[in-house]
Amino acid sequence: MEFWRKPLDADDIHITRGNVYVLDDRCKGCGYCIEFCPQKVLKASKGFNKKGYHYPEILKPKDCLNCHYCEIICPDFAIYSIAQVVAEKGSKNEVNK
Amino acid sequence: MQPDHPLNDLLRKDRIPHIWCSGCGIGTIFSACLNAIKASEIDLSKVVMVSGIGCSGRGAGYINVDSFHTTHGRAIPFATGMKLANPSLHVIVFSGDGDLFAIGGNHFIHAARRNIELTVICVNNLNYGMTGGQAAATTPNRAKTTTTPLGNPESPFNLPLLAYASGATYVARWTMLHTRDLTNSIKEALQKKGFSFIEALCPCPVNYGRRNKLRPLDVFKAYQQKSIVKNGANPIEIDADSDKGIIVGKFIDTERPTYTEMYNKIYRSKG
């Protein structure tokens, strides 16, 4: 994410991370997830799925912030994100919600 | 290994992919509904979804709880019967504007008048999508449809006003782009005692959009730029006109005795 100045509490804020999964064959290629992803993680594939649609491909998997917007805007139940388990500095594992 | 989709347990997976066209908003509204059911933590064996005929009427076929796909316009009478026979059920009516307000308009106003404990979700795509894009009771003035090729001469219904005037105790309107608000609203409506009505606007790219030169992403741009959130607004003043602004929000949230309560008081009070 780009900031015009670095927030003072940037070091304290815990940024959530997620893994995006696409179920290619459920996709109907509407492109809503690609359009509305705030981090621009997705792009339309060159290839086709079983029904002949361009499903989304994950361009920058590390940028996903697990906001779930692709999941809730998808009309076809074809994309979802799951929270990444991140190891805190020297402490117990924490799961993002 | 890839984990399962979080909504897979609520879906009849063998029927997915569903019949809704690419770019159609019904799927999003349906998924908001499923998320709301999940978030409200109601016992799923007590949830029933009823829908009528039309594109959105297919919703009942995709949810993995007890569901009924009823005759045209008669989703609310079926739901009323079910609620009266078994008052412990949470009955959700998921249907379209043509089914609920054109052929089923009379049933809607009387269910709202009686204040039967139903959650009615109306997917408003501004036309009769399944039959080929004819003008419906909600088609905006001057919009082009199959039956009004030069523009619609009629004025559309203001659905939240109709629901409020008929006596609904919870009235809200959202677009499919306000997905999180829509989900919260459905969740609130599910937990609400009394007749709750939620209108969800969505694009119909194939039938309505194509004739009015509206691509789904243009419709979303209009939703983003023109929608004004006004919770508690007077239902008389809420337009859904893309020129003047689409007023969305939770308009009415009141309490009054429900039909079951009144009926029990008068007819079932003596054992």
Side-chain angles (χ1 to χ4, degrees):
Chain A
M1 211 179 285
E2 281 177 24
F3 298 106
W4 59 274
R5 74 167 172 81
K6 195 181 170 205
L8 295 172
D9 55 354
D11 297 332
D12 306 335
I13 290 191
H14 176 63
I15 297 171
T16 55
R17 296 280 167 198
N19 292 328
V20 198
Y21 298 97
V22 181
L23 300 168
D24 300 350
D25 286 331
R26 282 189 186 178
C27 178
K28 290 198 189 120
C30 62
Y32 293 169
C33 51
I34 301 169
E35 178 71 22
F36 289 106
C37 176
Q39 291 289 90
K40 303 286 167 220
V41 170
L42 307 160
K43 74 165 175 52
S45 68
K46 287 219 169 88
F48 299 97
N49 66 6
K50 245 190 234 168
K51 298 223 169 197
Y53 293 107
H54 296 286
Y55 54 89
E57 264 177 357
I58 299 148
L59 190 64
K60 298 180 283 186
K62 283 187 185 158
D63 284 4
C64 176
L65 295 177
N66 200 34
C67 73
H68 293 289
Y69 200 71
C70 55
E71 183 183 319
I72 59 174
I73 195 87
C74 177
D76 291 275
F77 310 99
I79 188 167
Y80 54 101
S81 66
I82 306 276
Q84 251 178 33
V85 182
V86 276
E88 286 286 297
K89 286 171 202 162
S91 67
K92 61 194 173 184
N93 283 358
E94 206 172 82
V95 181
N96 300 326
K97 282 214 171 156
Chain B
M1 209 190 99
Q2 187 163 338
D4 254 2
H5 191 287
L7 288 176
N8 262 4
D9 52 337
L10 269 175
L11 283 174
R12 294 185 202 229
K13 276 185 288 176
D14 49 328
R15 300 194 179 186
I16 299 288
H18 49 59
I19 60 148
W20 299 316
C21 310
S22 169
C24 173
I26 302 173
T28 305
I29 296 163
F30 187 62
S31 124
C33 183
L34 297 188
N35 275 319
I37 293 173
K38 213 165 204 188
S40 64
E41 293 176 350
I42 324 171
D43 178 10
L44 290 181
S45 62
K46 293 279 178 201
V47 177
V48 185
M49 188 182 266
V50 187
S51 61
I53 298 296
C55 291
S56 359
R58 293 292 186 123
Y62 298 123
I63 184 172
N64 199 9
V65 298
D66 290 340
S67 56
F68 292 85
H69 190 192
T70 67
T71 46
H72 199 3
R74 314 294 176 237
I76 288 180
F78 272 78
T80 305
M82 233 173 294
K83 184 72 194 175
L84 295 188
N86 187 352
S88 67
L89 295 178
H90 289 267
V91 187
I92 306 166
V93 177
F94 185 88
S95 210
D97 53 307
D99 185 74
L100 283 172
F101 288 95
I103 187 168
N106 219 350
H107 299 303
F108 179 87
I109 58 174
H110 289 289
R113 173 179 64 82
R114 293 181 182 127
N115 200 18
I116 295 162
E117 294 164 65
L118 304 176
T119 305
V120 180
I121 299 159
C122 172
V123 179
N124 186 356
N125 59 6
L126 310 176
N127 74 132
Y128 291 118
M130 183 169 268
T131 48
Q134 290 84 358
T138 46
T139 308
N141 189 231
R142 290 180 174 268
K144 287 179 181 146
T145 64
T146 322
T147 46
T148 57
L150 298 178
N152 184 20
E154 302 167 14
S155 298
F157 263 139
N158 177 347
L159 302 183
L161 175 60
L162 180 68
Y164 168 61
S166 317
T169 52
Y170 185 100
V171 180
R173 177 201 274 151
W174 297 103
T175 73
M176 69 164 276
L177 211 55
H178 296 87
T179 326
R180 289 188 211 270
D181 296 302
L182 177 65
T183 311
N184 288 339
S185 211
I186 298 174
K187 188 181 152 199
E188 256 178 55
L190 278 171
Q191 286 158 344
K192 173 114 188 140
K193 212 173 57 172
F195 190 90
S196 6
F197 171 68
I198 296 157
E199 177 189 6
L201 292 166
C202 80
C204 172
V206 173
N207 276 318
Y208 185 83
R210 183 160 51 93
R211 295 193 174 85
N212 290 287
K213 306 250 179 328
L214 288 170
R215 287 169 185 279
L217 289 175
D218 300 338
V219 178
F220 284 163
K221 208 174 264 175
Y223 286 167
Q224 253 176 344
Q225 290 169 351
K226 298 283 172 67
S227 60
I228 306 159
V229 180
K230 263 193 198 167
N231 289 318
N234 184 349
I236 297 175
E237 292 158 7
I238 49 171
D239 289 305
D241 190 336
S242 52
D243 295 329
K244 285 188 218 155
I246 305 162
I247 303 201
V248 295
K250 182 174 87 175
F251 305 125
I252 303 291
D253 191 352
T254 53
E255 294 282 338
R256 77 189 174 92
T258 66
Y259 184 80
T260 326
E261 281 171 6
M262 304 278 267
Y263 189 85
N264 286 349
K265 211 174 182 180
I266 298 171
Y267 289 101
R268 288 179 180 151
S269 55
K270 291 167 200 163

